[in-house]
Amino acid sequence: MSESEENEPRDRALLPDGIVVRAVRLSDAEEITDLINLPGYRAGTLRPPYQRIEEVRKHMENPSPGALNLVVTLNGRIVGNCGLNRLAGRRQHVATIGMGVHDDFTGRGFGRILLAAMVDAADDWLDVKRLELTVYTDNEVAIRLYEKFGFEKEGLLRSFGYRAGEYVDAYTMARLRA
């Protein structure tokens, strides 16, 4: 079985033509670096500008134990990514997630596709009871998406991050598997 075949989901037929959700590959480092350096993508994260491919590749080569990193592609081009990091010890039932979509492909359902894949993996394969995330309070599109998947706002984190010369607030959100 080739690397590309082993990283593709079995339910690929359920996705529209040309769209694939798969595990991240080391060969994706350059394309993911380009993605995370986009201004719109970066604005929703804690990432500083001008990420170097070496930094991204190093992170990809040394994932956290229990991490799951996915990309969604359109005709072979990465248009979004999502990561899940499993916690340990008395919080081993918890995972945190973070995601983003290419600036030119927002509003086209790629975030929904990625989040659905991640929630499915967490619920049906990884036995994650609680998924957590943080989202800037001004990211209304992302907040609505998370709410559609059962995430609820649990708190306000004031001056959570520094973005474009000012401090911004974020919500902490979580989803409990029934």
Side-chain angles (χ1 to χ4, degrees):
M1 183 178 284
S2 73
E3 178 187 24
S4 64
E5 289 173 331
E6 72 183 33
N7 285 329
E8 290 182 11
R10 284 185 275 176
D11 59 355
R12 182 177 176 187
L14 300 177
L15 295 173
D17 285 343
I19 299 175
V20 174
V21 176
R22 62 168 174 79
V24 170
R25 302 175 188 144
L26 289 178
S27 60
D28 295 330
E30 186 172 346
E31 201 170 354
I32 289 175
T33 303
D34 292 343
L35 175 71
I36 64 178
N37 279 318
L38 292 169
Y41 182 104
R42 186 178 61 246
T45 73
L46 289 170
R47 292 181 178 277
Y50 312 114
Q51 295 281 292
R52 293 180 314 120
I53 190 170
E54 295 81 13
E55 295 167 4
V56 173
R57 183 176 285 119
K58 182 178 179 182
H59 181 75
M60 291 171 67
E61 290 173 344
N62 300 299
S64 302
L68 175 62
N69 294 292
L70 303 176
V71 293
V72 60
T73 65
L74 175 62
N75 299 321
R77 177 181 181 190
I78 295 174
V79 296
N81 71 329
C82 187
L84 176 147
N85 288 301
R86 187 80 181 246
L87 303 184
R90 292 174 55 188
R91 294 204 72 213
Q92 66 186 351
H93 64 290
V94 179
T96 61
I97 62 169
M99 62 183 289
V101 174
H102 191 289
D103 292 10
D104 294 338
F105 293 89
T106 59
R108 294 175 51 184
F110 293 106
R112 179 186 48 77
I113 290 167
L114 265 176
L115 190 55
M118 194 59 79
V119 167
D120 175 67
D123 287 355
D124 296 342
W125 298 99
L126 303 176
D127 193 24
V128 172
K129 171 75 173 168
R130 176 182 170 88
L131 280 175
E132 299 176 340
L133 59 86
T134 55
V135 58
Y136 290 123
T137 57
D138 61 359
N139 194 345
E140 295 171 10
V141 172
I143 292 166
R144 282 194 309 271
L145 174 65
Y146 300 141
E147 289 174 339
K148 287 178 184 175
F149 279 84
F151 285 85
E152 296 178 12
K153 294 175 189 166
E154 293 188 333
L156 174 67
L157 305 168
R158 295 180 301 154
S159 295
F160 174 77
Y162 192 71
R163 178 183 69 191
E166 63 184 22
Y167 291 99
V168 291
D169 297 342
Y171 293 120
T172 180
M173 298 182 76
R175 174 191 181 274
L176 295 177
R177 188 181 75 231

